[in-house]
Amino acid sequence: MYFSFTCSLSRSRIHSSLIFLFLLFFAGAAFAQTAGTLKGTVKTSDGKPAEFVNIQIRETDQGTSVTQSGHYTIHNIKPGTYTIVASFISLNTQSKQVTITAAKTEVLDFVLTENEKQLTEVYIKSYKANKFLKKETIDVAKLPLKNLENPQVYSVVTSELMKEQSVTNFNDAYKNIPGAGVPLVYNNGRSSLLSRGFTTENLVRNGISGFDYNSVDPANIEKIEAIKGPSGTLFSSTLASFGGLFNRVTKKPFDTFKGEVTYSAGGFDLNRLTADINTPLNADKTALFRINTAVHSEHSFQDQGFTRSIFFAPSFSYKVNDRLDLQLDAEISNYNATSAYRFAPFTGASSKVHSIKDLGINYNLSFINNSLDYNSQQFDLFGQINYKLSEHWKSQTAFTRTFSTTKGFVTQLTGVSDSTLKQSLQKEDFPYYGTDVQENVIGDVQVAGLRNRVVIGIDVYNQKSNRDYATVTMPTINFKHPGAAYDNYNVDKVNSLAATAPYTYYQTNQTIYAAYASDVINLTDQLSMMASLRVDRINNKGTYYPKVDSAAGKYGQTSLSPKFGLVYQVLKDRVSVFGNYMNGFSNVAGTDFTGTTFKPQYANQWETGVKLDIWDHKISSTISYYHISVTNTLRTDPDHPAFSLQDGTQLSKGVEAELIANPLRGLNIIAGYAYNNSVYTKADASVIGLRPAASGPDKMANLWISYQFMDGKVKGLGFGMGGNHGSQSYQTNTATAKFTIPAYTIIDATAFYDQPKYRFGLKLDNLTNQQYWSFRLAPQNPARLTASMSIKF
């Protein structure tokens, strides 16, 4: 009975199911007669299928993904007019309207261009194993080019690497850039480093002028881009050296709430508190806000010297619609410190000492006083307007307005003999003002069947300053046995001397007008060519002295700067070989003995090399050889020593290599090597054939190896170790005087425990307690232990 009943019930259910399916079939057939279909193709701007792109009907929940061949189909759409949205990370979202008709198939195709803002994001997600690899950038070429497509060499230091290395000082991040050397720290904490044998300052921010004579706090840094070689085609000559430029990329708002607060404490009384808070401001997340802030205090390892600062960097972005978005951010700081150490040794004919190591000056004595400090302020405003002109063209308008000032005492030390020196200072008020307006029109178009990525831009840059100062020089003291005279260098003594010292006041004002264009043409799928040109007109009003109501050094010059490059991808998206010709220039004031106005100096570089991105992005490397020739340099006129001739030449050539590798899960390696051979080929008899002292060591190397456990109970625990080496260099190098700086090898180590809600870190810098110096003969920090704790939310 039980079995029979069960069978009967089962047959009844089967019968009912068949009736239901029969009715459903006819209902579906009837609906199909009143519904329509949408299909089409989706390609990227280079004509390739854009697989995995999301196709969504905005007014309904219907959607699909593009197939590997670049096609999509959506069935059973009710008749009506709809907005179809094609979107994918790293590609610009595109919307189109279509009208669906019953029982018909409509065709709607899309061509999507790269979104440079999201290019980095997708790169991080795709390359998550090699966590320090973040080469994709729009700033280097002012176009969204991948590293393997770009004929220019550049290195990138990421915020992730800076966090792992517990970087609390902006200059420490440069340890990871091949050939950067020991930082030269000036007053206000600003700094410069080396690039291909040329001193290079930090004056570029997000691809536009970030001119500021203050220190740069690392709290707001997303990454640092070291762009190598003369770059006068796309960047103002006032922002770059003949060796390249350093571009700091700042943190931007994003569409989720997130925050992190970090406290760091270390040797030399280091105390540092930072906060990074990000939040959407409205429900649809079109308005975003982020603020980075830092409070920093530390003393020098020497007997005197300190730094105290407070820093705020608010950032706001607003997406008005699918075509228009706005960005506005600022950097505001107050910086109180003693002057950076600077020592010019005695190199006269009677000198018997030719190395800082043998001089015998006490490494731990500053020869200053904490009462001789200065205050520096910064208020910089930055804005950007991005507007989509069409599917293939967009406008990018950027502007900066910067203000920085120093008020107080800036000091220096000058050698008088092999055992004595003089302390001197300037009591000054020195504000700087900068304004830069830049307009770029960026396109990605097909011309004669070839893909062209184009940028056309104009740039207007103005820089002004006012300076008011008096100079005070103290009596000579014995730096080996200073005695009671050491304490005389203080604010009361200096002020009494400054009261009778003459003051000097002057103003400077220069404006640069520039226009440029660059085109990257894909001749084939693997071969591309870059051609660029810039024209600059500088109007320098000279140095104006109100007391005589006249200006000295007023001049105007026009310069042309070309750039060419070829890239052939031997293995598509894996291996490329490249070559480039690049040009940079520097405006020169003055005239020769005949009254002929000097022309700009020019640096012409040719370079060739290979770039690798292989093994599923686990190995990225660049190896290149460069040759830079500088012409129109000045040298003393032998017949008229008070004047100069403009026929000097300088040669800088060398090899650079960089490796970013992730050979095993959790293991990351960064390594670099730079060899630079710089020489004056035509110059004064005193330096011809010699290496310029400011070119630094001719051989430099950097290495960082870290391992983080990725699984198990110790997941998040990591260790790192690395170091830097520089060969012997010169502070003075002439035919009659030489003063050397010894070679150095620095070793650093770190340990950390990183979790989703918190992070602990320990960093030991210079663990061997190596004594080493910068080009300014500033002693560098001995061993220091720093501990940090972060809370994430």
Side-chain angles (χ1 to χ4, degrees):
M1 277 262 326
Y2 182 78
F3 178 77
S4 171
F5 174 76
T6 304
C7 287
S8 175
L9 182 62
S10 297
R11 283 193 297 270
S12 174
R13 286 181 175 174
I14 292 170
H15 181 70
S16 298
S17 297
L18 289 173
I19 294 173
F20 175 75
L21 291 173
F22 182 76
L23 293 173
L24 186 64
F25 171 78
F26 278 100
F31 178 75
Q33 297 299 313
T34 60
T37 299
L38 178 67
K39 71 175 184 178
T41 62
V42 183
K43 298 180 181 181
T44 55
S45 53
D46 57 358
K48 294 182 179 180
E51 57 180 319
F52 309 129
V53 167
N54 297 311
I55 304 296
Q56 189 75 33
I57 302 177
R58 181 175 290 172
E59 293 80 4
T60 73
D61 293 329
Q62 291 173 276
T64 187
S65 293
V66 175
T67 65
Q68 209 167 15
S69 62
H71 293 84
Y72 75 92
T73 303
I74 303 176
H75 297 285
N76 300 325
I77 307 173
K78 291 181 180 180
T81 300
Y82 299 97
T83 301
I84 312 302
V85 181
S87 65
F88 189 70
I89 293 175
S90 85
L91 297 174
N92 283 305
T93 299
Q94 191 176 131
S95 302
K96 290 185 177 183
Q97 280 197 334
V98 65
T99 299
I100 301 298
T101 305
K104 289 189 177 181
T105 298
E106 302 295 335
V107 177
L108 190 65
D109 297 331
F110 293 89
V111 177
L112 304 184
T113 58
E114 287 93 343
N115 183 317
E116 56 272 10
K117 181 179 179 182
Q118 296 180 347
L119 197 60
T120 299
E121 297 173 11
V122 71
Y123 201 78
I124 294 171
K125 293 175 182 177
S126 300
Y127 298 22
K128 58 186 176 182
N130 202 347
K131 62 181 181 179
F132 300 140
L133 182 60
K134 195 185 286 186
K135 284 281 193 176
E136 305 314 300
T137 171
I138 188 176
D139 295 316
V140 175
K142 296 191 183 293
L143 288 169
L145 290 183
K146 295 180 181 179
N147 179 41
L148 265 63
E149 297 178 292
N150 198 328
Q152 189 160 9
V153 173
Y154 58 96
S155 299
V156 177
V157 180
T158 66
S159 57
E160 291 85 359
L161 178 57
M162 288 188 276
K163 180 180 292 186
E164 182 172 288
Q165 295 179 345
S166 297
V167 169
T168 59
N169 183 305
F170 179 69
N171 296 316
D172 288 344
Y174 286 87
K175 292 181 177 181
N176 304 286
I177 296 175
V182 180
L184 276 68
V185 181
Y186 309 106
N187 299 318
N188 298 48
R190 76 185 198 279
S191 63
S192 65
L193 295 107
L194 292 169
S195 184
R196 300 192 167 178
F198 297 92
T199 301
T200 306
E201 293 196 66
N202 295 291
L203 301 175
V204 185
R205 181 189 187 276
N206 295 331
I208 194 172
S209 169
F211 178 87
D212 199 307
Y213 267 71
N214 280 19
S215 66
V216 175
D217 196 289
N220 194 36
I221 302 299
E222 182 61 37
K223 61 180 178 176
I224 299 170
E225 298 171 343
I227 305 173
K228 303 299 184 74
S231 300
T233 306
L234 296 178
F235 298 91
S236 170
S237 64
T238 58
L239 307 177
S241 78
F242 291 147
L245 62 97
F246 299 116
N247 177 45
R248 61 186 190 274
V249 179
T250 60
K251 296 177 181 178
K252 307 294 192 301
F254 50 92
D255 62 1
T256 57
F257 176 78
K258 193 173 182 180
E260 183 170 339
V261 178
T262 301
Y263 172 68
S264 301
F268 322 134
D269 301 315
L270 170 67
N271 284 282
R272 179 175 172 83
L273 182 66
T274 64
D276 181 357
I277 311 296
N278 183 88
T279 183
L281 296 179
N282 56 3
D284 59 3
K285 299 182 179 182
T286 56
L288 309 173
F289 179 76
R290 186 174 187 175
I291 185 168
N292 282 272
T293 184
V295 180
H296 186 106
S297 175
E298 69 175 297
H299 285 92
S300 169
F301 73 89
Q302 295 180 315
D303 63 310
Q304 303 273 316
F306 69 87
T307 298
R308 300 161 192 157
S309 65
I310 184 167
F311 172 80
F312 294 94
S315 180
F316 173 78
S317 69
Y318 181 57
K319 185 173 183 179
V320 180
N321 51 47
D322 288 341
R323 288 182 174 270
L324 177 65
D325 67 81
L326 313 173
Q327 298 174 23
L328 185 66
D329 59 287
E331 290 181 335
I332 306 163
S333 71
N334 189 77
Y335 187 85
N336 176 221
T338 51
S339 227
Y341 189 104
R342 175 174 49 169
F343 177 53
F346 175 69
T347 56
S350 62
S351 176
K352 305 297 182 185
V353 180
H354 304 291
S355 170
I356 184 63
K357 188 175 182 180
D358 300 329
L359 189 61
I361 189 169
N362 194 317
Y363 198 81
N364 296 305
L365 294 185
S366 64
F367 294 91
I368 63 169
N369 187 281
N370 281 346
S371 65
L372 298 172
D373 63 341
Y374 63 86
N375 281 287
S376 187
Q377 295 179 337
Q378 169 192 11
F379 178 69
D380 301 339
L381 187 67
F382 306 88
Q384 186 169 298
I385 303 169
N386 297 304
Y387 184 73
K388 183 179 178 181
L389 300 169
S390 69
E391 297 300 331
H392 300 286
W393 292 94
K394 77 167 191 176
S395 165
Q396 181 187 79
T397 306
F399 65 88
T400 69
R401 182 75 169 170
T402 62
F403 164 76
S404 56
T405 183
T406 300
K407 189 171 184 178
F409 304 97
V410 295
T411 62
Q412 65 181 41
L413 308 173
T414 304
V416 179
S417 71
D418 288 344
S419 59
T420 61
L421 60 77
K422 282 188 176 182
Q423 302 152 309
S424 63
L425 63 74
Q426 290 182 344
K427 185 178 181 180
E428 68 178 27
D429 185 356
F430 201 177
Y432 281 88
Y433 307 87
T435 302
D436 197 350
V437 179
Q438 190 177 103
E439 168 64 26
N440 293 314
V441 178
I442 301 169
D444 192 336
V445 294
Q446 297 282 331
V447 178
L450 301 177
R451 184 187 185 190
N452 288 250
R453 279 167 285 183
V454 182
V455 57
I456 303 169
I458 57 173
D459 191 9
V460 180
Y461 175 63
N462 176 262
Q463 177 187 314
K464 297 188 294 186
S465 70
N466 302 320
R467 191 178 188 192
D468 196 351
Y469 70 94
T471 302
V472 172
T473 301
M474 302 296 291
T476 299
I477 65 170
N478 187 307
F479 59 73
K480 294 184 179 181
H481 307 287
Y486 189 81
D487 295 329
N488 287 337
Y489 197 37
N490 58 64
V491 66
D492 294 331
K493 184 70 172 180
V494 166
N495 276 333
S496 65
L497 295 172
T500 58
Y503 269 75
T504 299
Y505 176 71
Y506 65 78
Q507 300 173 342
T508 66
N509 190 345
Q510 67 172 359
T511 303
I512 300 174
Y513 307 91
Y516 50 85
S518 181
D519 187 7
V520 177
I521 307 171
N522 282 88
L523 302 174
T524 70
D525 188 45
Q526 293 172 271
L527 178 64
S528 62
M529 177 181 70
M530 173 185 284
S532 314
L533 182 65
R534 180 188 182 104
V535 58
D536 268 76
R537 174 63 184 178
I538 184 171
N539 179 17
N540 191 317
K541 295 184 178 180
T543 304
Y544 173 72
Y545 296 93
K547 63 183 178 183
V548 293
D549 192 24
S550 66
K554 182 179 179 180
Y555 69 94
Q557 289 177 350
T558 302
S559 304
L560 284 174
S561 180
K563 175 180 177 181
F564 301 97
L566 281 174
V567 175
Y568 179 68
Q569 297 190 46
V570 181
L571 297 175
K572 179 68 174 174
D573 296 326
R574 290 182 176 87
V575 180
S576 67
V577 292
F578 67 90
N580 67 55
Y581 167 81
M582 297 170 59
N583 177 276
F585 58 90
S586 177
N587 297 103
V588 182
T591 65
D592 61 17
F593 179 73
T594 65
T596 302
T597 302
F598 291 134
K599 297 176 289 186
Q601 294 182 24
Y602 285 98
N604 298 287
Q605 171 186 282
W606 63 265
E607 181 177 16
T608 185
V610 60
K611 295 184 179 183
L612 308 176
D613 191 346
I614 57 176
W615 196 12
D616 194 23
H617 312 299
K618 290 187 171 82
I619 293 180
S620 174
S621 180
T622 301
I623 304 171
S624 70
Y625 171 81
Y626 62 87
H627 182 285
I628 304 172
S629 175
V630 182
T631 59
N632 291 345
T633 62
L634 301 182
R635 65 185 182 96
T636 302
D637 186 339
D639 299 322
H640 309 94
F643 292 87
S644 295
L645 296 175
Q646 195 182 33
D647 61 355
T649 55
Q650 180 183 342
L651 179 64
S652 179
K653 57 184 179 180
V655 175
E656 285 184 342
E658 181 184 56
L659 172 69
I660 305 173
N662 172 229
L664 301 173
R665 190 165 179 257
L667 177 64
N668 288 273
I669 301 170
I670 293 177
Y673 176 77
Y675 169 72
N676 172 260
N677 178 17
S678 289
V679 63
Y680 290 112
T681 52
K682 187 173 184 180
D684 294 334
S686 61
V687 297
I688 191 167
L690 300 178
R691 180 177 180 82
S695 293
D698 63 344
K699 293 180 283 291
M700 285 181 274
N702 61 282
L703 175 67
W704 183 257
I705 302 175
S706 68
Y707 181 77
Q708 182 176 354
F709 291 95
M710 308 300 289
D711 301 295
K713 294 182 178 180
V714 292
K715 180 180 179 180
L717 179 65
F719 304 91
M721 179 172 283
N724 292 79
H725 171 77
S727 60
Q728 177 182 283
S729 57
Y730 296 95
Q731 191 277 335
T732 301
N733 186 26
T734 70
T736 57
K738 296 185 187 297
F739 197 89
T740 63
I741 304 170
Y744 63 90
T745 301
I746 311 302
I747 300 175
D748 304 324
T750 187
F752 57 91
Y753 186 53
D754 198 353
Q755 294 296 305
K757 296 297 183 181
Y758 61 87
R759 185 184 192 277
F760 298 105
L762 286 174
K763 176 71 179 301
L764 181 58
D765 290 293
N766 193 6
L767 61 86
T768 62
N769 219 31
Q770 168 87 71
Q771 290 191 353
Y772 66 114
W773 295 261
S774 72
F775 172 70
R776 282 189 155 198
L777 301 183
Q780 303 299 295
N781 282 348
R784 173 160 76 172
L785 180 66
T786 301
S788 62
M789 177 182 69
S790 300
I791 300 172
K792 310 174 188 178
F793 51 90

